[in-house]
Amino acid sequence: MGSILAERGNQIYRTGKDTRAIECSKPSLAGSVSQRACVFCGSRVVLYPISDALHLIHGPIGCAAYTWDIRGSLSSGPELHRLSFSTDIHEKEVVFGGEKKLYAALTELIDKYKPEAAFVYSTCIVGVIGDDVEAVCRKVSVEKKMPVIPVQAPGFNGSKKDGYKIACEALASLVGTADREIPKISINILGDFNIAGELWILLDYYRKIGIHVNATITGDGRVNDIRNAHKASLNVVQCSGSMMHLAKFMYEEYGIPFMKVSYFGIEDMSDALYEVANFFKSDELMERAKKIVRDEFERLMPVLKNYKEKLEGKKAVIYVGGSFKAISLIKALRLIGVRTVVVGSQTGTADEYEMIRELCDDETIIVDDSNPVELSQFVKETGADIFIGGVKERPIAYKLGLGFCDHNHERKEALAGYEGMINFAKEIYATAMSPVWQFTKQKQIRM
Ligand code: SF4
């Protein structure tokens, strides 16, 4: 426990040993070098995939560069989201204010790109100098007759999770501003970001079942669909950490019920289809959902069995953004013979950690809001073979000489749905069994 700060002790839990609850949902400890991102980044990752909107970052160029093309979110149409515009705040604006520069950038970009809406993100320095971003957005919105939405997300104002909430509030301001008729059996998909085209896999399942997807928020998202999102009968929420706030808002404001699902792993993917079909109380829809599940099981099981024989006994570390995804990952790894020995997240909730605790074997380490030093120690302590995480965890894994699977928003491989389960197994196999690790470990020993 030498690398663990004493104040962080209760955010680490060892199954079969500890009896207390794990502490979570609290600000990061000063000096801990948390893996969490800033508030601005949290808002940016949620809104980024809206592909026909203008995204303008009011701040220094570094904030824009940090979040430029931040997700592997694909679009079936416009690709305006992939550009990262910045007002490039300098000393002059810090002293005299940046509102004029923001107005000039906003009007020029709207004239040039003709977006359906504009999101204007406030960053740390804007929070410090006190520019009235809302007033500028209001003015431009009237002049250009389009939604111009301030996203008040100075990075220092909390953590990434607070940014999710701010992004949901920005989305909520759009919902209900259009009125297009849609089929009765319709859903909105919340919290899938169409990374590597994952959303399109899901759309195909829902199409086969006979369920209309009204708005996808925000993967492959379009402003006008989001404006019309209040017409759907149900909100199906994945990545609940980022989207629950919007789902709750739509329930309170428009009476749209919501359900939490996960599309990762065959068990949770199948449950998602069953639960959505069940919501509409139609035998026909349920029969079609069952057929998809049956067909996919028959296709997947022999392939997964093959990977399981080769991977049996391997140990994995999971460290992801939200802990709901970790639950699916633990089950998916089990299916291919891999035991989870460390599992943690940046923003997990007490309920989700409790579900993880019930799911895990004894001697599993569960950790909330960890840091590189702790994670490195856990890898060494457990003798893990594979690390599943995001861009900030990749160097930890490679430096320690173990396989890595990117399960965060930068990845280029679809890991959701049944097809995603095969890709996941293939990737875990390729990285865990790579011959390169024998040389890394030998080198470490010689040193
Ligand atoms: S912490 Fe502040 S300065 Fe850094 S990226 Fe976030 S908003 Fe920009």
Side-chain angles (χ1 to χ4, degrees):
M1 298 280 281
S3 313
I4 295 166
L5 297 166
E7 297 94 322
R8 286 209 17 88
N10 287 340
Q11 282 173 276
I12 297 157
Y13 183 95
R14 290 166 193 264
T15 56
K17 193 170 165 210
D18 291 329
T19 48
R20 58 175 167 80
I22 185 167
E23 255 181 33
C24 59
S25 304
K26 55 189 260 189
S28 303
L29 181 70
S32 165
V33 196
S34 165
Q35 301 287 88
R36 287 173 175 169
C38 74
V39 179
F40 156 67
C41 182
S43 67
R44 185 87 175 95
V45 293
V46 170
L47 299 172
Y48 165 82
I50 306 172
S51 61
D52 56 356
L54 177 80
H55 300 268
L56 173 60
I57 295 140
H58 187 34
I61 196 71
C63 303
Y66 168 44
T67 54
W68 180 14
D69 214 9
I70 193 166
R71 283 186 185 274
S73 301
L74 301 184
S75 165
S76 55
E79 295 212 319
L80 187 53
H81 67 303
R82 299 197 61 197
L83 301 176
S84 197
F85 298 107
S86 168
T87 49
D88 189 18
I89 291 279
H90 279 237
E91 285 87 345
K92 189 177 149 205
E93 288 79 34
V94 172
V95 176
F96 297 105
E99 289 169 20
K100 276 190 195 152
K101 200 172 188 185
L102 173 61
Y103 175 80
L106 202 44
T107 47
E108 185 182 335
L109 287 167
I110 290 172
D111 288 345
K112 182 164 178 171
Y113 291 99
K114 310 213 170 350
E116 293 293 333
F119 294 101
V120 180
Y121 303 81
S122 298
T123 55
C124 284
I125 193 65
V126 172
V128 171
I129 64 177
D131 275 357
D132 193 346
V133 174
E134 262 187 50
V136 177
C137 289
R138 236 184 350 258
K139 183 169 183 243
V140 177
S141 180
V142 171
E143 284 175 11
K144 301 293 176 189
K145 300 184 179 53
M146 59 176 285
V148 179
I149 304 160
V151 184
Q152 303 277 23
F156 56 74
N157 208 11
S159 80
K160 189 178 177 185
K161 204 169 181 173
D162 300 291
Y164 294 158
K165 188 166 175 250
I166 292 164
C168 285
E169 283 161 5
L171 289 166
S173 73
L174 275 178
V175 173
T177 57
D179 199 11
R180 200 174 63 216
E181 280 315 308
I182 57 164
K184 198 167 166 21
I185 298 181
S186 64
I187 60 170
N188 295 320
I189 295 182
L190 272 62
D192 181 279
F193 301 101
N194 201 28
I195 292 161
E198 284 174 343
L199 175 75
W200 299 328
I201 298 174
L202 307 175
L203 289 181
D204 194 43
Y205 300 146
Y206 287 123
R207 184 187 54 75
K208 283 182 180 154
I209 297 175
I211 294 169
H212 173 77
V213 177
N214 178 38
T216 56
I217 308 174
T218 56
D220 201 7
R222 299 289 184 282
V223 171
N224 284 328
D225 293 340
I226 298 167
R227 296 177 70 168
N228 205 48
H230 60 300
K231 299 287 234 179
S233 307
L234 173 68
N235 279 329
V236 182
V237 191
Q238 180 174 253
C239 190
S240 53
S242 66
M243 279 289 163
M244 216 36 149
H245 189 70
L246 182 65
K248 285 181 180 161
F249 164 80
M250 287 173 75
Y251 177 68
E252 281 157 20
E253 198 71 13
Y254 301 102
I256 305 175
F258 59 86
M259 64 171 63
K260 268 166 82 166
V261 301
S262 168
Y263 299 120
F264 297 115
I266 56 178
E267 202 179 324
D268 288 351
M269 179 67 243
S270 305
D271 283 347
L273 296 183
Y274 288 148
E275 281 168 31
V276 175
N278 190 40
F279 172 84
F280 290 102
K281 306 210 176 323
S282 154
D283 293 343
E284 211 179 322
L285 296 189
M286 184 53 89
E287 275 315 308
R288 290 191 207 131
K290 282 182 182 166
K291 177 159 171 31
I292 294 174
V293 173
R294 218 170 25 240
D295 291 351
E296 293 290 354
F297 259 72
E298 276 172 23
R299 183 170 75 93
L300 259 65
M301 289 322 273
V303 183
L304 297 180
K305 187 169 169 269
N306 194 22
Y307 284 117
K308 185 175 183 184
E309 280 165 13
K310 296 183 174 104
L311 287 166
E312 194 80 64
K314 294 282 180 199
K315 292 184 272 183
V317 175
I318 300 171
Y319 192 76
V320 283
S323 51
F324 196 61
K325 179 161 81 178
I327 297 168
S328 300
L329 289 176
I330 296 165
K331 294 186 212 166
L333 286 167
R334 241 177 222 164
L335 212 58
I336 51 172
V338 178
R339 186 164 83 85
T340 302
V341 289
V342 181
V343 54
S345 76
Q346 296 171 23
T347 57
T349 64
D351 289 354
E352 289 162 354
Y353 283 129
E354 180 54 23
M355 284 161 81
I356 289 175
R357 192 189 63 73
E358 284 173 11
L359 194 60
C360 285
D361 301 325
D362 277 356
E363 293 177 32
T364 304
I365 301 169
I366 304 173
V367 60
D368 176 65
D369 187 20
S370 194
N371 58 52
V373 176
E374 286 175 6
L375 290 170
S376 303
Q377 181 182 315
F378 296 149
V379 166
K380 289 178 194 159
E381 188 182 323
T382 55
D385 305 283
I386 311 147
F387 202 130
I388 301 168
V391 67
K392 285 178 291 216
E393 289 78 37
R394 186 192 298 268
I396 300 174
Y398 287 164
K399 280 182 189 168
L400 292 169
L402 73 159
F404 178 77
C405 169
D406 188 344
H407 212 298
N408 205 359
H409 47 71
E410 298 84 5
R411 68 194 144 83
K412 303 283 182 258
E413 190 80 72
L415 299 177
Y418 299 103
E419 202 52 45
M421 181 66 215
I422 294 190
N423 292 341
F424 180 62
K426 204 192 289 178
E427 199 167 322
I428 293 290
Y429 171 77
T431 193
M433 308 304 269
S434 170
V436 75
W437 306 126
Q438 61 182 313
F439 302 115
T440 320
K441 280 177 183 138
Q442 276 173 10
K443 200 174 156 202
Q444 275 179 353
I445 292 161
R446 276 205 302 274
M447 283 162 71

